[in-house]
Amino acid sequence: MLKKILLSLSLFPILLSAQINTERVMIIARNALYFEDYVLSIQYFNQVINAKPYLYEPYFYRALAKIYLDDYQGAEADCNEALQRNPFVVGSYQIRGLARIRQNKFDEAIDDYRKALYYAPENTTLWHNLTLCHIHKEDYEAAEDDLKSLLKVAPRYTRAYMMRGEVALKQQDTIRALADLDKAVELDRYEPDTWASRGMLKLQMGKYADAEADMSYAIHLNTKNTANYINRALARFHQNNLRGAMSDYDIALDIEPNNFIGHYNRGLLRAQVGDDNRAIEDFDFVIAMEPDNMMAIFNRGLLRAQTGDYRGATQDYTTVINEYPNFLTGYHYRAEARKKLGDRRGAEEDEFKLLQAQLDRMNGKVDANSNTATNDLADNEKSTDEEEGGEKTRKKSDRNMRNYNKIVIADSEDDTKRYANDYRGRVQDRNVNITLEPLFTFTYYEKDAVVRRTVHFFKYIEALNANGAFPRRLLITNMDSPLTQAQVDFHFKMIDAHTADIVSNPNDPEKRFARGMDFYLTQDFDSALEDFTQATLADEHFFPAYFMRSLVRNKQLEYKRAEAAANATVVPAMSGQPKVDVSSIDYTTVRQDLDKVIELAPDFVYAYYNRANLLAMLKDYRAAIMDYTKAIELSDDFAEAYFNRGLTHVFLGNNKQGIADLSKAGELGLYDAYSVIKRFTDMSE
């Protein structure tokens, strides 16, 4: 009996507060961090810190986890601890700099990046963030010095030219800014931000047709960026293409339904083309978002009057007049509405106010406290033809009621915020390259999708769920979700519960598998691997264990590959890290497990799909296509298989076949496919 207890304890030493295997716990913690289980990773790092508080690594990695959880103050404190223990680790300065940026501590962040650059002078990420700090502080001379150094290190770094263009624009040098953005486009024609940035500059320069062309190409490369549609709509508006502008606002609002500028401007354009009722809907939405937006309320009043709702119009005019008692245009329109309602007395009061204002104007009396002045009615009675050469837009922050009928544009400070989220972290930067849809796995938790696609199902797994084999319903998904704190606590408890069951019945494959799932979800891959292996030994026909073992092995190799890539590109940032080599031979066991699953369950489509992904990753594209095809034969609505087969065809140069598959994937609900199609087809415009 004592031997069994010792055996069970040896399987999860990470749960013990004393004498833990800190090296192993660090590996598990970094696994959790890499696979975006930030809450879980912090728990593991806490254990290492409690056991060995003199190590710098757990503080550093815990800081990184806190960055991703937006705990910037906590991240800064952890970096302080890491640097006290080892002041020569570049990554600690870099992460602390990022944490300080998020707290608007730009001077301190600049100090951190300069210290880091002392140890790693060729690190482009450090130069990038240092430059953005100087831009934010409006120290453009320092920013240009940074960019000069950055371009020496990385002469083809596109973002450097974009930032230098931004600096030139801040200094009112549009010619130099345009030259830099032209260079950025030349270096990377497949980066949508370069086209969008140049389009914005051309928009500011009044080159509306050129701006529209650049924005169109940015949209061609990335169909999901709301700002590009909003900006192209503005370029089209300036060319009097109102229908085209409204179409762009429609698409922008499909992507981002709560976009203020989209609703406000579409409301104005709908009013211009006589679509009054739908214009009212847009202004209703704006007013719901900003109940004190007087311009939106006034525009809605005008539209209500147009549609015969004079009582509603009068209410809107009154709201505006109460806020701006010298806004004479409001009295003019309220008088008209009151006449329609038969309120002659009210109309006469408004007309008397207008008459008095005109007399005051003739006598040179102007209300100095009013930002609208008493001549606003005369100004607003000018025809639009007379305004043609004037300003047709206003800033979003503009509160001058005389500009109520002008198209809204972002404030200049908002425009520059396209760089605000461009600060770079050291690891896990999002890869914007086109990639395969991920592997399928078993899990209890799935991310919410914006558009719900197929519910993935397999009869054997549903039978296990029906029999109560697992503590929660086992799902099949490729959108597994990181654990919350409550879920972490639950699975640690379940490890204890399943261990007790295994001690009493060590040959139960389902119990072994269930505990393996707990270890897998808590990122303890070594223990998960052991349990899945024991499940296959207990029942060699239990295919879910082989399937999950292939996933665990693949995740371990994926992490090793990421380490190898980091060592190759960021060696100075994390000195002392071991070199990691991963070859295709290491994936043999992964494939063997998937082969076994297919042998045991030849109708389990997810094994074919995962094996195809593995083959594609190893660049055996023709074999991958065969497996994707088999998966589609078994399940003709398998969107992810169509998507990945389409990409694989493209990788082989078979664009026509690839686009057909991507189109089918989009039809089945995987809408990212349409963005990819645009990348591989010529623009029709």
Side-chain angles (χ1 to χ4, degrees):
M1 184 64 182
L2 179 61
K3 186 177 179 180
K4 288 183 178 179
I5 294 173
L6 290 173
L7 175 65
S8 66
L9 288 175
S10 69
L11 289 174
F12 52 103
I14 58 172
L15 301 179
L16 304 178
S17 60
Q19 295 184 338
I20 67 168
N21 184 339
T22 53
E23 183 177 349
R24 181 162 174 262
V25 177
M26 274 296 295
I27 291 171
I28 298 169
R30 289 177 64 182
N31 281 339
L33 180 62
Y34 177 78
F35 291 108
E36 301 182 4
D37 247 324
Y38 306 125
V39 172
L40 177 63
S41 71
I42 287 173
Q43 285 207 358
Y44 287 129
F45 292 130
N46 290 345
Q47 291 181 35
V48 178
I49 288 168
N50 289 336
K52 295 184 177 179
Y54 50 84
L55 296 176
Y56 86 88
E57 289 101 328
Y59 287 103
F60 168 76
Y61 286 109
R62 190 172 72 177
L64 194 54
K66 288 178 178 179
I67 283 280
Y68 288 116
L69 292 171
D70 297 335
D71 179 8
Y72 305 121
Q73 187 173 336
E76 182 181 1
D78 276 345
C79 285
N80 291 340
E81 296 292 336
L83 287 166
Q84 283 182 14
R85 288 156 178 78
N86 188 343
F88 304 107
V89 178
V90 171
S92 297
Y93 292 107
Q94 186 167 340
I95 296 305
R96 188 171 69 178
L98 192 59
R100 286 172 165 175
I101 285 169
R102 299 305 186 193
Q103 299 174 79
N104 295 319
K105 298 178 178 179
F106 292 100
D107 289 325
E108 293 95 326
I110 287 169
D111 288 341
D112 276 334
Y113 288 123
R114 282 178 172 157
K115 288 174 185 173
L117 284 164
Y118 177 79
Y119 298 111
E122 296 185 356
N123 188 309
T124 57
T125 300
L126 297 173
W127 285 113
H128 180 108
N129 286 5
L130 179 62
T131 302
L132 288 177
C133 286
H134 282 132
I135 290 175
H136 193 98
K137 284 175 58 62
E138 300 182 1
D139 186 352
Y140 302 129
E141 185 177 345
E144 289 195 343
D145 289 341
D146 296 338
L147 290 166
K148 191 181 295 182
S149 299
L150 174 53
L151 287 169
K152 284 181 182 176
V153 172
R156 297 186 62 81
Y157 187 57
T158 308
R159 293 276 166 178
Y161 290 99
M162 293 172 67
M163 288 188 288
R164 195 167 71 178
E166 176 71 14
V167 171
L169 192 57
K170 290 285 189 181
Q171 296 170 311
Q172 309 300 315
D173 189 347
T174 54
I175 294 174
R176 190 157 59 93
L178 186 58
D180 276 325
L181 292 175
D182 284 342
K183 182 67 175 178
V185 169
E186 178 190 330
L187 287 173
D188 190 353
R189 296 182 60 82
Y190 297 101
E191 170 53 59
D193 287 349
T194 60
W195 293 93
S197 295
R198 193 174 71 173
M200 279 299 301
L201 177 57
K202 289 177 177 177
L203 197 58
Q204 293 174 40
M205 296 170 70
K207 298 180 177 180
Y208 301 122
D210 290 345
E212 180 183 353
D214 277 354
M215 288 299 175
S216 294
Y217 209 92
I219 290 167
H220 169 73
L221 296 172
N222 179 4
T223 59
K224 291 187 175 182
N225 189 317
T226 307
N228 291 342
Y229 290 102
I230 296 290
N231 292 327
R232 188 173 69 175
L234 185 58
R236 288 175 166 177
F237 167 75
H238 279 291
Q239 299 173 81
N240 295 318
N241 180 5
L242 302 189
R243 295 289 180 186
M246 281 192 290
S247 172
D248 277 339
Y249 288 130
D250 287 342
I251 298 170
L253 290 168
D254 283 341
I255 299 169
E256 188 183 336
N258 294 330
N259 188 281
F260 170 89
I261 290 177
H263 279 288
Y264 189 97
N265 288 352
R266 189 174 68 176
L268 286 180
L269 296 183
R270 283 175 167 175
Q272 286 191 41
V273 300
D275 191 357
D276 295 334
N277 288 313
R278 292 207 299 164
I280 289 172
E281 290 175 5
D282 275 326
F283 285 115
D284 282 341
F285 193 94
V286 170
I287 294 164
M289 292 173 67
E290 295 186 4
D292 59 347
N293 192 309
M294 294 299 122
M295 294 195 199
I297 292 170
F298 187 71
N299 278 305
R300 186 177 67 178
L302 294 174
L303 289 161
R304 283 175 163 177
Q306 283 285 107
T307 57
D309 180 10
Y310 300 112
R311 196 169 302 281
T314 300
Q315 290 174 352
D316 282 341
Y317 298 146
T318 301
T319 300
V320 174
I321 289 168
N322 288 341
E323 185 71 19
Y324 294 105
N326 294 309
F327 180 52
L328 300 184
T329 305
Y331 292 99
H332 169 75
Y333 284 108
R334 189 171 69 176
E336 293 296 318
R338 283 175 165 177
K339 285 178 185 177
K340 298 288 187 181
L341 289 170
D343 181 6
R344 294 181 60 185
R345 181 177 177 180
E348 288 173 356
E349 289 177 354
D350 285 339
E351 288 173 341
F352 179 77
K353 177 72 174 179
L354 292 170
L355 179 61
Q356 185 179 39
Q358 288 175 349
L359 291 172
D360 288 344
R361 183 183 178 190
M362 290 171 61
N363 294 324
K365 296 180 181 179
V366 177
D367 184 354
N369 295 321
S370 171
N371 74 334
T372 58
T374 56
N375 65 345
D376 68 321
L377 178 60
D379 287 346
N380 278 294
E381 286 174 342
K382 290 181 180 179
S383 70
T384 55
D385 293 336
E386 291 174 321
E387 287 187 343
E388 196 63 34
E391 195 64 47
K392 298 165 70 175
T393 60
R394 68 173 177 87
K395 297 290 179 64
K396 185 175 183 289
S397 58
D398 185 355
R399 291 293 180 263
N400 189 331
M401 281 302 300
R402 293 165 61 187
N403 296 328
Y404 67 88
N405 59 350
K406 292 183 177 181
I407 290 289
V408 177
I409 62 174
D411 295 327
S412 56
E413 58 268 26
D414 290 338
D415 179 41
T416 60
K417 284 179 184 175
R418 62 181 179 272
Y419 294 105
N421 294 319
D422 202 28
Y423 293 102
R424 304 299 175 88
R426 195 194 66 80
V427 300
Q428 291 178 281
D429 288 330
R430 296 297 184 186
N431 189 346
V432 296
N433 294 330
I434 295 170
T435 56
L436 299 171
E437 281 287 296
L439 299 172
F440 275 80
T441 184
F442 295 134
T443 183
Y444 303 121
Y445 312 105
E446 186 175 26
K447 291 177 184 174
D448 290 330
V450 176
V451 179
R452 175 54 55 191
R453 302 203 293 265
T454 305
V455 175
H456 294 282
F457 167 89
F458 192 68
K459 57 185 182 299
Y460 183 80
I461 301 302
E462 288 306 307
L464 290 175
N465 283 328
N467 293 335
F470 311 116
R472 294 183 175 175
R473 185 171 180 269
L474 198 64
L475 307 173
I476 305 172
T477 183
N478 69 341
M479 298 191 300
D480 50 326
S481 175
L483 304 188
T484 65
Q485 184 63 59
Q487 291 162 353
V488 169
D489 295 340
F490 172 78
H491 286 289
F492 279 145
K493 289 178 182 176
M494 289 310 303
I495 288 172
D496 291 337
H498 287 135
T499 298
D501 292 336
I502 290 168
V503 168
S504 61
N505 186 4
N507 295 319
D508 185 336
E510 291 180 9
K511 294 299 181 186
R512 285 281 189 182
F513 181 82
R515 190 175 70 174
M517 286 299 304
D518 293 321
F519 282 128
Y520 172 77
L521 290 169
T522 55
Q523 306 290 339
D524 184 353
F525 294 148
D526 287 338
S527 296
L529 204 60
E530 173 66 19
D531 269 338
F532 292 140
T533 299
Q534 290 299 322
T536 64
L537 294 174
D539 181 355
E540 63 181 10
H541 299 290
F542 190 66
F543 79 84
Y546 294 101
F547 186 69
M548 286 307 301
R549 189 169 70 178
S550 74
L551 281 157
V552 171
R553 285 171 168 166
N554 188 75
K555 280 200 168 189
Q556 289 177 319
L557 290 170
E558 180 184 340
Y559 180 69
K560 286 181 180 179
R561 289 178 72 202
E563 275 194 312
N567 288 336
T569 58
V570 203
V571 174
M574 288 300 296
S575 57
Q577 292 299 312
K579 185 176 180 181
V580 182
D581 292 315
V582 180
S583 69
S584 60
I585 298 172
D586 297 297
Y587 286 93
T588 303
T589 54
V590 179
R591 178 165 182 175
Q592 286 173 346
D593 278 337
L594 290 170
D595 290 344
K596 187 67 175 178
V597 174
I598 290 168
E599 176 191 329
L600 294 172
D603 57 343
F604 187 63
V605 297
Y606 309 102
Y608 293 101
Y609 172 93
N610 280 11
R611 189 171 69 179
N613 269 29
L614 176 65
L615 292 165
M617 188 269 295
L618 295 173
K619 295 185 170 34
D620 189 354
Y621 296 129
R622 298 189 188 283
I625 286 173
M626 291 177 64
D627 271 343
Y628 288 131
T629 301
K630 181 63 177 179
I632 290 167
E633 287 173 2
L634 291 169
S635 177
D636 60 4
D637 63 348
F638 199 167
E640 292 84 357
Y642 280 107
F643 183 90
N644 285 3
R645 189 174 71 174
L647 277 188
T648 308
H649 274 304
V650 169
F651 296 154
L652 286 170
N654 305 325
N655 280 28
K656 186 175 180 180
Q657 292 169 279
I659 290 169
D661 276 342
L662 291 166
S663 177
K664 183 65 176 179
E667 176 188 319
L668 292 169
L670 213 169
Y671 296 117
D672 286 348
Y674 294 119
S675 298
V676 180
I677 289 171
K678 285 180 176 286
R679 294 286 291 270
F680 294 107
T681 54
D682 292 331
M683 292 183 64
S684 59
E685 298 181 48

